[in-house]
Amino acid sequence: MIIIGITGTIGAGKGTVVNALKAKGFKHFSAREFISQQIVKQSLPVNRDTMTQVANALRVEHSPEYIISQLYEQAFQSKENCVIESVRNTYEIDFLKSKENFFLLAVDADIELRYKRIKLRKSQTDMVSFAIFASNEKREWNNTEDTKQKLKACIESADYSLTNNGTIEELNQKVDKILASIEKKVQKKDFRPSWDEYFLEIVDTVAKRATCDRGRSGCVIVKDKQILVSGYVGSPKGLPHCDQIGHLFKKMIDEDGNISNHCVRTVHAEQNAICQAAKRGIALNGSTLYCTMTPCHTCAMMIINCGIERVVCKQKYHSGQESEEIFAQAGIKLDFACTAVLKYNKQ
């Protein structure tokens, strides 16, 4: 499965690139369409200003990468090659680049040519003068606010770039070459993992030391791309492990009212990592925590009080909604490599 994100300047031909990829079997997910649907729900006119205003409002209300994360979730669930149009914020790029087999493609063209193109397509959002067109692009080019569009930074972050000053045939040839390069990389795994992928792979290795076979989870805490501490699920020091004498089950009522079995013999991976930091005098303020699944409520409260700023989970925990809520209240960024719910025996 390949996911290609499209970024670029207004009228550069992003839609034409999308069409070329659709002809190759890619499924299309559009940020423009997603935002337009939100505008219609609010009974607002669909134009460039409301597109920008509503998109920025969604990012403020939810998170800077909210729009793209919604489209990515749909793309991931499809299990097909997908193209996501348009990526316009650096947080969106960070989110997408944390996912496997994602590539960002930037499209640009001369501004006069781009203006002629938008006039020809006669979209509701494009019926503006050249002065307004240039002003709109300048506004979106290099914003300093996290929730707003940053075209310049997005284009500079692209894995592939193309200039679309020629014919559609020439553009299609460029797309074919880029797609061939992407497919070759995916087949050979000929690309470096993102930092999130890298640290989540280390989480898997740490988890192999876990001593509770119901959920062999691991955790690493990172700052400035350096590992500070790690931890895995296991009994307190000197006490017998589940792998030695079996589990210590207690029935608990989950958030949804279901009754589930929890093993309480062990200390969670996140707790063990935080304990290691305390033991060694390592400050965790401003760090990122990587873990196997959504931290439990107790772990979440400890994470908040440690000053950890971001949590990245491989999967969701079946009873993690409460943790997600308090992370949001505390302003902690929470990301999932996969939104599937982790299942294990005797749950």
Side-chain angles (χ1 to χ4, degrees), residues 214-215 217 249-263 268 270 291-297 313-325 334 336 338-347:
R214 293 185 71 247
S217 60
F249 282 124
K250 285 192 178 181
K251 292 186 180 296
M252 297 185 183
I253 300 176
D254 297 328
E255 299 157 13
D256 57 7
N258 290 329
I259 297 176
S260 60
N261 289 308
H262 289 253
C263 177
H268 292 181
E270 299 89 338
C291 55
T292 303
M293 56 185 163
T294 318
C296 73
H297 186 251
C313 313
K314 285 202 70 175
Q315 289 182 277
K316 286 200 170 191
Y317 176 49
H318 69 89
S319 187
Q321 183 61 37
E322 193 173 18
S323 296
E324 292 183 32
E325 290 172 357
L334 177 63
F336 294 95
C338 172
T339 55
V341 178
L342 185 64
K343 302 288 185 182
Y344 45 84
N345 294 331
K346 298 182 180 179
Q347 184 169 301

Side-chain angles (χ1 to χ4, degrees), residues 72-271:
Y72 174 82
E73 180 62 24
Q74 296 175 40
F76 182 82
Q77 293 300 327
S78 76
K79 305 300 181 185
E80 300 177 40
N81 289 340
C82 298
V83 54
I84 297 177
E85 176 200 13
S86 303
V87 182
R88 292 181 170 273
N89 180 278
T90 51
Y91 278 85
E92 295 173 344
I93 293 174
D94 290 343
F95 170 82
L96 289 168
K97 287 202 170 186
S98 72
K99 310 304 179 184
E100 187 176 7
N101 291 354
F102 171 78
F103 301 88
L104 184 64
L105 169 57
V107 189
D108 196 12
D110 293 340
I111 188 168
E112 292 83 4
L113 179 57
R114 292 191 283 109
Y115 179 67
K116 290 179 182 178
R117 287 174 180 164
I118 70 157
K119 297 298 288 183
L120 289 173
R121 68 190 184 191
K122 298 180 180 179
S123 163
Q124 284 179 285
T125 61
D126 294 326
M127 303 307 290
V128 295
S129 67
F130 180 80
I132 292 176
F133 171 76
S135 175
N136 285 340
E137 181 160 283
K138 184 177 180 180
R139 179 183 62 193
E140 299 172 14
W141 185 247
N142 198 22
N143 277 302
T144 57
E145 295 181 42
D146 289 342
T147 56
K148 293 188 176 180
Q149 302 183 41
K150 300 182 180 183
L151 287 181
K152 180 176 183 289
C154 290
I155 291 170
E156 290 174 346
S157 299
D159 300 293
Y160 296 92
S161 299
L162 61 82
T163 301
N164 180 27
N165 287 334
T167 64
I168 292 179
E169 290 74 17
E170 290 171 336
L171 179 64
N172 287 340
Q173 290 173 4
K174 292 179 180 180
V175 172
D176 286 345
K177 289 181 180 179
I178 290 172
L179 186 55
S181 173
I182 289 173
E183 289 174 341
K184 183 178 179 180
K185 286 184 176 182
V186 170
Q187 289 169 3
K188 291 186 175 182
K189 291 291 182 183
D190 184 23
F191 54 92
R192 299 173 72 192
S194 68
W195 285 110
D196 282 356
E197 290 171 337
Y198 172 70
F199 290 121
L200 286 174
E201 287 175 6
I202 295 174
V203 165
D204 285 343
T205 300
V206 172
K208 292 177 181 179
R209 287 283 303 167
T211 62
C212 181
D213 64 7
R214 293 185 71 247
R216 295 194 187 277
S217 60
C219 170
V220 295
I221 303 178
V222 174
K223 187 172 184 180
D224 298 328
K225 300 176 183 176
Q226 296 292 321
I227 296 175
L228 302 178
V229 287
S230 63
Y232 51 85
V233 63
S235 295
K237 187 175 181 180
L239 299 184
H241 295 287
C242 295
D243 288 353
Q244 297 170 326
I245 63 171
H247 302 292
L248 178 58
F249 282 124
K250 285 192 178 181
K251 292 186 180 296
M252 297 185 183
I253 300 176
D254 297 328
E255 299 157 13
D256 57 7
N258 290 329
I259 297 176
S260 60
N261 289 308
H262 289 253
C263 177
V264 296
R265 187 178 300 285
T266 56
V267 181
H268 292 181
E270 299 89 338
Q271 295 168 6

